[in-house]
Amino acid sequence: DLTKSAAAKMHQKYINSTYGDGIAEDGEWGKETYYATQNIQQGDANDDVTVLQGMLYCNGQDPNGIDGEFGKNTMAAVCKLQAAAGLNPTGIADRYTWAKLFGAGKPMHTTMKKGMSGAEVKYLQRRLTDAGFPTATSGTFDDETELAVKSFQKEKGLKVDGVVGPITWDVID
C-alpha cells in the first residue's frame, strides 16, 4: 500500500508539472487523478514512464527494467496487463490501464451540462477533442463545449440535447 501510494503521488506530481492540472498530490487514486491522466506510449521517455514501469512490475508484469523509457518491453508488459485485466491490449497506457495498475475502476460520471466546471469538465473536453470534436480544455462547460457535445451526439445518433448523461458518457468514454 505504501508503494502504491508513493507511485500515485509521483504520477500526480508528474501530471501537475507537465499539464498544470493542479490536482491533489495525496497518493490516492481518485476521480481527479483519473480525469487528469494522459496516455503514454512507446517512444515516450519521462518520469511517468518510470512510475508506469514500477507499477507494472508490482502488478506481476516485468517491463525488463525501470529506466523511464517506454520501449518494446514496456509495451509488451502493458499489453499483458491489459489482456489480463480484460482491456483491449493496445500497448498504450491509457487512464483505464493506470486505474487497473492502482486497483481502481472507472469512476461514475456526473451528468454534465452548460455552466458546470471542474476536473470532470476538463476531462470531457479532452475526450471530445480526442473524438474529433475539438474544444478548449478550460474546465468550464461553455457554449463551445455545448456545441461540441451536440455535434458529437448528432454524429453518434444520440439524443441531441447538449447534456452529457449516462448514454453520452458510455459512448464518449
Side-chain angles (χ1 to χ4, degrees):
D1 286 338
L2 289 176
T3 301
K4 190 186 295 186
S5 178
K9 191 178 277 191
M10 290 305 300
H11 179 61
Q12 293 161 336
K13 184 176 240 168
Y14 177 81
I15 289 168
N16 286 336
S17 67
T18 305
Y19 304 108
D21 280 12
I23 62 172
E25 294 177 18
D26 58 7
E28 297 291 324
W29 183 272
K31 273 186 166 185
E32 278 191 344
T33 304
Y34 177 86
Y35 295 138
T37 294
Q38 301 293 311
N39 293 354
I40 59 174
Q41 59 194 353
Q42 189 170 6
D44 289 341
N46 54 53
D47 291 340
D48 220 19
V49 175
T50 303
V51 174
L52 171 70
Q53 290 170 327
M55 288 303 295
L56 284 165
Y57 187 78
C58 290
N59 280 272
Q61 302 300 332
D62 186 359
N64 199 24
I66 299 175
D67 60 5
E69 295 184 21
F70 199 126
K72 293 183 298 186
N73 294 323
T74 299
M75 187 170 112
V78 168
C79 284
K80 287 178 186 175
L81 176 96
Q82 290 170 326
L87 300 172
N88 183 19
T90 63
I92 297 171
D94 57 14
R95 64 190 43 84
Y96 312 118
T97 304
W98 281 99
K100 292 296 182 182
L101 286 168
F102 286 98
K106 284 193 329 186
M108 295 296 295
H109 293 297
T110 304
T111 296
M112 307 296 295
K113 60 185 177 181
K114 189 173 170 184
M116 297 177 83
S117 63
E120 193 169 8
V121 174
K122 197 172 202 178
Y123 172 72
L124 168 65
Q125 292 167 328
R126 286 179 179 147
R127 297 298 298 150
L128 286 165
T129 299
D130 291 347
F133 301 88
T135 184
T137 54
S138 64
T140 300
F141 198 127
D142 54 13
D143 291 335
E144 181 185 4
T145 303
E146 184 180 50
L147 181 61
V149 168
K150 286 180 177 179
S151 297
F152 176 83
Q153 290 171 327
K154 182 177 180 182
E155 182 174 297
K156 301 300 181 183
L158 304 172
K159 179 181 176 184
V160 179
D161 59 5
V163 175
V164 184
I167 295 170
T168 302
W169 271 122
D170 281 347
V171 175
I172 200 164
D173 201 25

